[in-house]
Amino acid sequence: MTPKKTMLRAAVCSQEQIADQIFSMWLQADSIAAEARPGQFVSVYSNDSGRLLPRPISICETDKEKGRIRLVYRIAGKGTAEFSGCQAGDCLDLLGPLGNGYPPDCCQAGRTAILIGGGIGIPPMVELAKQLEGKVIAVAGYRDELFLTDELAQHGKLYVAVEDNDLCQKLQTVSDGNYCGTAVHGNVLDCIRENHLNADVIFACGPTPMLRAIQTYAKENHIECWLSLEQRMACGIGACLACVCESAETDAHSQVKNKRICKEGPVFAAEEVVL
């Protein structure tokens, strides 16, 4: 059943900066919290009438009892810079939940899932980790600063891959209980291979080069795989065709069929899309 999407005026409950240019915001959004699934997103509208298009932001966590959602986002322009200045009591217009999320029933008890997040693709892994019934292994890839490690470590085993060598060496000398083994200097697949991680299913979100590599890895190793694509969006509801990706399916005339990331996605089975 498709979740109902709602336009509402949401009050900011709290906001904090959790890394360089990265902010965590809790919003009172009862109807969205009630319907949201891991991997979905909301469109957040600016209070500046000069900025007409909303900013799509993935849902990091939901608190259904309190009717709240958590957004963790990076400042990428004037719109998100505006959001970063919001304080408790301020209000923002939201539309959501939007898109198709991850299928949590793919990891029932007895199965193992590897959740892979790269950069700002890490936040949606938090709610997914909370809802999966099977064994959860989280692999988080960072450039030069960690965030959301506590949340991921609460719901599974966490492994860390970092691009910055100095940070990697620092992490290898510190044991704070937030991650398993030692940090790997490299990317998320380096981390998976070095730690000999295996799973029945992979869920991933991050930049396209990372997803392309994971798609190939999953195919070579015959692992079920679900990918959440990152893309610039305009309307967020599939009307403008601004966020299409190439589909592996073709129509009756062998013409390429595109998929709308905001509507048919952002989560796709790995074999559905060409990256």
Side-chain angles (χ1 to χ4, degrees), residues 25 170 186:
M25 179 192 296
K170 178 182 178 181

Side-chain angles (χ1 to χ4, degrees), residues 153-179:
Q154 286 177 9
H155 304 288
K157 291 186 177 180
L158 173 62
Y159 295 82
V160 171
V162 293
E163 296 179 18
D164 184 271
N165 189 50
D166 290 339
L167 174 60
C168 184
Q169 291 181 353
K170 178 182 178 181
L171 291 173
Q172 289 175 346
T173 62
V174 175
S175 178
D176 62 3
N178 284 341
Y179 55 90

Side-chain angles (χ1 to χ4, degrees), residues 204-216 227-230 275:
C205 182
T208 299
M210 184 195 89
L211 296 181
R212 186 182 298 118
I214 292 170
Q215 183 185 51
T216 300
L227 306 174
S228 179
L229 276 57
E230 294 183 346
L275 299 177

Side-chain angles (χ1 to χ4, degrees), residues 16-262:
E16 62 177 325
Q17 184 171 355
I18 59 174
D20 182 36
Q21 300 294 298
I22 295 179
F23 289 78
S24 169
M25 179 192 296
W26 280 97
L27 295 132
Q28 191 69 42
D30 297 73
S31 56
I32 295 177
E35 296 285 344
R37 299 196 306 262
Q40 291 188 295
F41 67 97
V42 292
S43 285
V44 186
Y45 289 80
S46 169
N47 286 322
D48 184 339
S49 60
R51 302 188 189 114
L52 297 179
L53 294 178
R55 273 60 178 176
I57 301 178
S58 61
I59 298 172
C60 175
E61 290 188 81
T62 60
D63 184 336
K64 295 185 184 297
E65 288 188 6
K66 294 182 178 180
R68 297 178 179 181
I69 62 171
R70 184 186 186 188
L71 306 181
V72 173
Y73 62 96
R74 175 186 288 129
I75 294 179
K78 293 181 179 179
T80 44
E82 175 197 332
F83 303 154
S84 71
C86 290
Q87 300 177 358
D90 292 338
C91 292
L92 292 167
D93 288 327
L94 307 180
L95 177 65
L98 299 173
N100 288 306
Y102 294 101
D105 57 354
C106 288
C107 186
Q108 299 292 339
R111 301 192 86 201
T112 298
I114 296 180
L115 280 55
I116 306 173
I120 207 62
I122 293 170
M125 296 296 117
V126 175
E127 185 63 29
L128 180 60
K130 289 165 59 177
Q131 294 197 23
L132 293 179
E133 295 181 7
K135 179 181 178 181
V136 172
I137 299 171
V139 179
Y142 300 92
R143 180 173 299 169
D144 53 15
E145 190 174 8
L146 306 187
F147 56 93
L148 295 177
T149 53
D150 288 339
E151 290 88 338
L152 289 170
Q154 286 177 9
H155 304 288
K157 291 186 177 180
L158 173 62
Y159 295 82
V160 171
V162 293
E163 296 179 18
D164 184 271
N165 189 50
D166 290 339
L167 174 60
C168 184
Q169 291 181 353
K170 178 182 178 181
L171 291 173
Q172 289 175 346
T173 62
V174 175
S175 178
D176 62 3
N178 284 341
Y179 55 90
C180 302
T182 58
V184 171
H185 180 218
N187 60 43
V188 290
L189 283 179
D190 293 330
C191 185
I192 288 172
R193 293 185 176 110
E194 187 166 319
N195 287 285
H196 307 289
L197 303 178
N198 297 297
D200 301 296
V201 59
I202 290 173
F203 301 99
C205 182
T208 299
M210 184 195 89
L211 296 181
R212 186 182 298 118
I214 292 170
Q215 183 185 51
T216 300
Y217 174 84
K219 183 177 181 179
E220 291 174 348
N221 290 276
H222 309 289
I223 303 172
E224 180 182 356
C225 183
W226 296 85
L227 306 174
S228 179
L229 276 57
E230 294 183 346
Q231 180 63 276
R232 289 184 178 273
M233 297 180 185
C235 71
I237 56 174
C240 68
L241 304 180
C243 62
V244 296
C245 65
E246 185 178 344
S247 171
E249 302 172 350
T250 55
D251 63 20
H253 302 287
S254 298
Q255 299 296 315
V256 172
K257 184 196 296 182
N258 291 327
K259 290 184 181 291
R260 298 164 294 179
I261 292 176
C262 69

